Amino acid sequence: MPQIKQLDAHVADLIAAGEVVERPASVVKELVENAIDAGCSAVVVEIQRGGMGLIRVTDNGCGIAPAELPTAFLRHATSKLRSQEDLAKIGTLGFRGEALAAISAVSRVDILTRQKGSASGAKLHLEGGVPGSVEEAGAPEGTTILVRDLFYNTPARLKFMRKDSAETAAVAGLMQHLALSHPDISFKFIKDGTDALHTPGDGKLESAIYAALGREFARSLVPVKGRGGEVEVTGFVTKPLMGRGSRSMQVFFVNGRFIKSQLLTAALEEGYRNQIMKGKFPGCVLSVTLPVTAVDVNVHPAKTQVKFAREREVFDAVYHTVLDCLDRADAPAPAPKPAAEVVNPRGDFFLNMDAKTYRQQAEQPAAQPAAKPAPAAPARPAWNTEWKQPVRVADAAPEKPLYQTRPPMKSAVSALGGGPASVIARPAVKEESKSAPALKIVPPAPKPAPAPVTEISVKPEAEKRPFVPAIPPEQQKLDLPGLVRPAEAEEQEAPWRIAGEILNTYIVCESEDHCVYLIDKHAAHERVNFDRLKAAQTPPMRQTLLTPVAAELGREDCALLLENAALLESFGFACEDFGDGAVLVREVPADMDAADTAATLEEIAENLRTGRSLAEKRENLLHTMACKAAIKGGWTSDISELRVLVEKVQRGEVKYCPHGRPVAVKLTKYELEKMFKRA
Ligand code: ADP
Ligand code: MG
C-alpha cells in the first residue's frame, strides 16, 4: 500500500468544488441564490456559449464590504450561519459558505461590488481560486460577478461537458424556477446576446408564470390555497382536462427553494385521481411553506432535495388543498367569496378521514354526501393526530427565520384569491399563429355507425374519436419481416369467432377448441404499429398542417426538441424554434391525430430527456408514436378493424404491447367451468 497522506489544500478544493459546481447551471444557481439572499429586487443573468464562455450575474442587493471580499471566497466562509443551532433553522438559500470558493477554484472570476450607502465600491480578480488584491472601484449598488473559462483547470470535467445548447437549456430551466419562486424579484436572462426571459417582479405569481412558462400554460391553471397544521400550500394547478404529457411542468417550492420531491408529486397526483386521463399528468406551480425547523434542506449538496420532519402532514396538506380546489373549480358557478372564507370549504373533514376512507365514501355518493363530515367515520387514524383545525392563512403568523429573507411567494399569496385564475393583462404575443391546428388532408367521410356485433356487446359512452384511419388499409395487408411465424398447422386453424367487444376496449373471441380470448385492442394495435415503424425503411407519411401549431412546451423541452430536430424529422415531425419556449410545428406523421401535436411533443421531450443513448431515444420515440397512432380503448371500433387485430393475435404475430404487457388473455373451457362449479 502506498503511504497515507493528507491531500494538499489545492487538490482538496478541486474535489470539493466538483460537488458544488457540476456544470454552468450550478454556477448560475449559486450566484443567483446569493443575489436573492442579498435582498435584491432585480437580477440580470447573462451567459455565453451555454455558460462555458461567460456567466455574468448582476444584482442590486446589499453588496459586500471591500475588506470582506477575499473572505467571501474562502471555503466555509458565510455570513448566514454562526452556530450549530442555526443549522436547524435555515432561512436563506445559501448557508454552506462553499459556492464562491468552489466556483473560483475552477474558473477565472471578477467581482465588482458596492454596499448600500457606501461611497465607493471594490473589485477583485481570482484565478483558480487564487485572489489578486482588492482594489477600489466605482460601481453601482449591489454586486456583479463574472465567471470565465469554467473548468479551465479541470480538463477531465471539461471533457464531460454536454453541448452548449444543452447547457443553455439547463440554465434557462433553472432561471424559470428561480423566477417562479420569487415573483417579487425581476429576473432577466440573456443568452448569447438575446433576451430569453424577463419577469416583471411585481409580486404576482401569475405574472411570473406567464413570463416564464408561457401564456398557454398560464391559461390552463386554477389557483389553489390551503393549509393543514403548520403547512401552507399556495399556487396554481392545471385544470383536470388540461393534463400534460409528462411531469415536466410540475414545479414545487419548499420555503422558496425549488425542489424535486416524489412525495409532493404523489400528493398532487393523488388529488387528481379519477379526474385526469390515464397517461396525463397535472402541471403545477406549488409553493409549500412550513416552519424552517420542520424541513431539512441540508441533505444534498445541490440543495434540490429536502427531508420533511412530518411527511404525512405535508402529503395531506398538498393532497387536500389540491382536491378541495379542484372540486371547487368544478362546482357550477359558485358565488364568489372572499379568499379567507374559501380556505378548506369542507371544514374539518380530514380530521375524521384519511385519504382512502374519503375516497371510498366519495365513491358511494348516495351513502355519504361528500361535502359533509362523516358522522360515522372510523376512529381517527394515528397519523392524523397532528391535524389542527384548518387555519385561515391570513391568521397565521409566520415563524421568523434566523435570517430575514423575503418570505417565499408571500406577495403572490395575497394575489391568489379563491376565484378562477386571474387573466393576465399582457399583450398577446403571436396570438393568432398559436391557434388550433387545421389539417390540409381531407378527413375521410365519417363511416356509417357499425352494426352492433352481437347482443352482448356493451357500448359505454364512447370517447369522441379523431379522424385517424385506425388501421390503414395498406397496413392491414402488411407482412412484416422478422416476425416469428407460427407453425403451419396453427395457421390453418379456423379463424376465431369474434363474439363482441366489451367496455369499448376488449375484444371477446372464441376459438375452435372452445377457448375464450380477451384482446386489449389498443395494446394489440400499438404493437402492430411499433413493429411496422421499427421495420420501416423510409420515414413515415406526413401531413402538413394548414395552420402550423405553436406548441408551448417550456424552454428546456424546446431546446431538447430542437437539438434533436433530425431525429424528429425521421419520425415525421417538422419543427422549428418559435422563441419564448415554443416550437412551431409544420408537419406531423400522417397517422397521428394532429390535435395531439403539443401533447405528443411533450411526451417526446420526456423520451429524449430519459433516453441515455441515441438508440434508446429512438426506441422510446417508437413507443410514443406507436401509441399515438393506435386505436384507443374507449373508442368505438369497426368490426373490420377488430378482425385484423384478432387475426394477428391468432397468428401469434402480436403477443405483447411494446411495454411488455400482454395483449391477449386466454380462458379455457375448463377454467370457465371451474368458475361456475361445473367442473
Ligand atoms: P453562502 O451563500 O453559503 O453563504 P457563498 O460562498 O455563496 O456562501 O457566499 C459567501 C458569502 O459571500 C455569503 O455568505 C455572503 O455574505 C457573500 N455574498 C456572496 N454573494 C453575494 C452577493 N451577490 N451580494 C452580497 N453578498 C454576497
Ligand atoms: Mg451562496
Side-chain angles (χ1 to χ4, degrees):
M1 273 292 242
Q3 212 185 344
I4 301 172
K5 275 190 173 171
Q6 195 164 17
L7 290 174
D8 74 48
H10 177 63
V11 180
D13 279 352
L14 285 181
I15 293 173
E19 276 178 31
V20 182
V21 186
E22 223 181 316
R23 56 195 297 192
S26 18
V27 174
V28 175
K29 177 170 185 286
E30 294 295 339
L31 295 182
V32 174
E33 286 189 351
N34 279 348
I36 296 171
D37 284 346
C40 72
S41 62
V43 56
V44 182
V45 174
E46 202 182 330
I47 64 167
Q48 278 166 20
R49 290 201 299 108
M52 296 304 292
L54 169 117
I55 297 172
R56 188 198 332 251
V57 178
T58 305
D59 69 55
N60 62 354
C62 65
I64 305 175
E68 289 178 9
L69 254 187
T71 319
F73 287 87
L74 295 179
R75 271 186 77 197
H76 309 304
T78 177
S79 56
K80 303 166 194 175
L81 202 67
R82 289 282 175 267
S83 64
Q84 183 182 337
E85 292 76 62
D86 295 347
L87 255 186
K89 42 182 176 175
I90 291 163
T92 48
L93 295 168
F95 56 86
R96 290 167 176 259
E98 278 180 337
L100 292 187
I103 295 165
S104 62
V106 291
S107 66
R108 297 185 171 96
V109 171
D110 282 287
I111 182 165
L112 180 67
T113 181
R114 180 160 69 95
Q115 282 195 300
K116 284 219 161 93
S118 210
S120 69
K123 64 177 183 182
L124 175 67
H125 177 79
L126 299 98
E127 218 146 326
V130 182
S133 50
V134 178
E135 288 171 34
E136 197 178 312
E141 267 183 5
T143 305
T144 298
I145 300 194
L146 247 126
V147 177
R148 273 187 270 243
D149 306 328
L150 190 59
F151 302 132
Y152 79 98
N153 52 354
T154 52
R157 178 60 64 103
L158 198 57
K159 217 167 67 193
F160 283 100
M161 285 319 298
R162 301 207 306 174
K163 276 192 208 158
D164 288 353
S165 56
E167 294 307 322
T168 304
V171 177
L174 170 82
M175 289 303 294
Q176 280 180 352
H177 297 150
L178 288 165
L180 290 169
S181 64
H182 291 86
D184 46 354
I185 298 178
S186 165
F187 286 82
K188 187 167 185 174
F189 173 47
I190 305 164
K191 57 170 186 191
D192 297 313
T194 49
D195 280 11
L197 169 79
H198 197 175
T199 62
D202 61 2
K204 294 195 180 113
L205 178 57
E206 51 267 56
S207 311
I209 292 178
Y210 185 100
L213 302 178
R215 175 172 151 272
E216 284 291 304
F217 184 66
R219 279 188 157 189
S220 71
L221 300 172
V222 285
V224 297
K225 183 180 186 180
R227 186 183 185 102
E230 293 182 308
V231 185
E232 186 187 311
V233 183
T234 60
F236 289 88
V237 298
T238 44
K239 294 171 195 157
L241 282 177
M242 311 287 236
R244 322 274 315 176
S246 76
R247 293 193 170 97
S248 68
M249 286 295 213
Q250 292 183 358
V251 183
F252 295 103
F253 300 104
V254 171
N255 288 353
R257 192 189 292 275
F258 169 76
I259 59 139
K260 296 195 164 133
S261 158
Q262 289 183 348
L263 179 106
L264 296 180
T265 295
L268 168 79
E269 291 182 3
E270 187 66 14
Y272 281 79
R273 188 184 260 262
N274 299 333
Q275 299 200 51
I276 196 161
M277 257 173 70
K278 223 169 160 227
K280 293 279 177 194
F281 301 94
C284 72
V285 179
L286 269 190
S287 174
V288 176
T289 313
L290 68 175
V292 286
T293 46
V295 54
D296 187 0
V297 292
N298 196 10
V299 289
H300 189 260
K303 295 175 281 185
T304 49
Q305 287 165 22
V306 293
K307 189 149 178 41
F308 298 109
R310 290 184 297 277
E311 296 194 329
R312 191 83 229 190
E313 186 174 326
V314 176
F315 181 96
D316 288 341
V318 173
Y319 165 65
H320 287 295
T321 300
V322 170
L323 193 67
D324 284 351
C325 292
L326 290 180
D327 281 0
R328 256 205 322 280
D330 272 358
K337 290 181 191 165
E341 272 183 61
V342 293
V343 175
N344 274 318
R346 285 202 200 133
D348 60 354
F349 78 96
F350 51 74
L351 288 175
N352 307 310
M353 271 188 274
D354 61 351
K356 194 163 158 235
T357 320
Y358 168 72
R359 228 180 14 252
Q360 280 163 356
Q361 300 209 0
E363 278 160 12
Q364 304 160 357
Q368 182 62 56
K372 274 199 211 155
R380 195 164 133 183
W383 54 260
N384 237 351
T385 49
E386 274 160 355
W387 278 95
K388 311 266 167 14
Q389 194 69 22
V391 187
R392 285 183 192 175
V393 174
D395 296 345
E399 183 162 323
K400 270 230 178 314
L402 162 76
Y403 229 75
Q404 196 51 52
T405 49
R406 63 198 72 247
M409 288 198 191
K410 260 290 168 333
S411 39
V413 169
S414 58
L416 290 179
S422 325
V423 178
I424 301 151
R426 296 195 130 217
V429 198
K430 304 169 190 160
E431 190 166 349
E432 289 74 22
S433 46
K434 295 195 179 188
S435 57
L439 297 185
K440 206 199 265 173
I441 56 165
V442 185
K447 292 178 193 155
V453 180
T454 68
E455 281 179 14
I456 65 151
S457 127
V458 185
K459 299 267 178 219
E461 211 177 297
E463 244 178 80
K464 214 171 153 223
R465 179 179 174 157
F467 289 121
V468 182
I471 303 180
E474 72 282 1
Q475 191 186 325
Q476 297 183 11
K477 288 182 225 102
L478 196 74
D479 206 15
L480 294 168
L483 280 174
V484 185
R485 289 267 156 242
E488 192 70 9
E490 267 179 87
E491 273 194 52
Q492 284 161 6
E493 198 189 330
W496 292 348
R497 182 179 75 82
I498 300 180
E501 190 189 342
I502 53 173
L503 306 174
N504 272 337
T505 302
Y506 306 103
I507 315 167
V508 184
C509 312
E510 181 187 353
S511 68
E512 201 182 21
D513 57 349
H514 308 300
C515 290
V516 174
Y517 291 86
L518 293 172
I519 299 171
D520 179 336
K521 66 176 180 182
H522 170 73
H525 193 205
E526 200 178 353
R527 181 74 212 197
V528 173
N529 286 334
F530 183 76
D531 290 337
R532 172 176 55 89
L533 288 170
K534 204 165 179 176
Q537 302 292 324
T538 47
M541 296 266 290
R542 298 155 168 241
Q543 49 181 317
T544 304
L545 304 175
L546 259 193
T547 315
V549 178
E552 296 200 0
L553 304 165
R555 284 165 221 279
E556 217 172 332
D557 280 4
C558 281
L560 254 179
L561 291 173
L562 295 169
E563 216 180 291
N564 291 281
L567 184 60
L568 285 175
E569 190 81 28
S570 69
F571 277 87
F573 290 93
C575 306
E576 59 199 69
D577 194 359
F578 199 44
D580 285 344
V583 285
L584 194 68
V585 189
R586 297 191 184 279
E587 288 176 335
V588 298
D591 57 3
M592 194 192 101
D593 178 11
D596 258 1
T597 303
T600 307
L601 285 176
E602 202 173 7
E603 220 171 283
I604 289 177
E606 184 69 13
N607 294 162
L608 295 171
R609 205 184 345 266
T610 47
R612 276 161 299 183
S613 61
L614 184 63
E616 192 177 314
K617 286 176 187 168
R618 191 174 275 284
E619 184 92 357
N620 290 346
L621 246 78
L622 279 174
H623 282 179
T624 298
M625 294 322 298
C627 176
K628 294 291 165 192
I631 46 174
K632 304 276 183 292
W635 288 358
T636 311
S637 302
D638 194 291
I639 183 73
S640 59
E641 293 173 346
L642 301 183
R643 159 92 30 226
V644 178
L645 291 176
V646 170
E647 279 168 7
K648 283 183 182 289
V649 174
Q650 186 179 358
R651 288 205 300 270
E653 281 178 22
V654 177
K655 286 192 177 119
Y656 296 98
C657 86
H659 308 283
R661 288 190 296 272
V663 153
V665 172
K666 176 182 177 184
L667 275 173
T668 62
K669 188 176 177 207
Y670 176 71
E671 280 166 336
L672 274 172
E673 285 179 337
K674 253 180 76 175
M675 283 184 209
F676 289 101
K677 310 279 181 233
R678 283 164 166 264

